[in-house]
Amino acid sequence: MLRVTERAGDRVVAELPEDVDLHSTPGLRALGDRMIDEGCRHLTLDCSRTLYLDSTGISAIVAWYQRLDAVGGSLTLSEVNEHLYSLLTRLGLHTAITITPGTAASDKQGS
């Protein structure tokens, strides 16, 4: 599930699970939507544990970006492993969403 690790005003940091897929995304989407409904305007998703992201997860990320952008907010994906970083940039998401790659140490932990 999406686990909130920090909250300050309209800023939230939440950790994505290892697998963001057809089975986990509906629950993640509901929690993310609720955070935005409750006033989150700047959402950072910590991807340090995330190893797998399918099209349903990407759709949720895009939907959150669109909702936050519409209210002047922002979405950041942090600690993204090399594989996911490559995927997200090939999709062109780096042009709209701030995506920061993980450190070498966090990439080795995910292997």
Side-chain angles (χ1 to χ4, degrees), residues 65-83:
Y65 163 76
Q66 291 172 330
R67 289 192 63 196
L68 290 164
D69 186 59
V71 295
S74 64
L75 176 63
T76 300
L77 303 179
S78 68
E79 296 297 320
V80 177
N81 72 38
E82 186 177 327
H83 171 74

Side-chain angles (χ1 to χ4, degrees), residues 22-77:
L22 181 63
H23 301 289
S24 64
T25 298
L28 296 172
R29 179 81 184 260
L31 289 170
D33 286 345
R34 187 172 67 209
M35 285 189 297
I36 295 169
D37 290 344
E38 292 174 351
C40 172
R41 295 297 174 259
H42 303 282
L43 177 59
T44 298
L45 297 174
D46 176 346
C47 301
S48 60
R49 294 181 51 229
T50 307
L51 301 176
Y52 182 76
L53 176 68
D54 75 3
S55 61
T56 60
I58 291 168
S59 294
I61 289 168
V62 169
W64 290 331
Y65 163 76
Q66 291 172 330
R67 289 192 63 196
L68 290 164
D69 186 59
V71 295
S74 64
L75 176 63
T76 300
L77 303 179

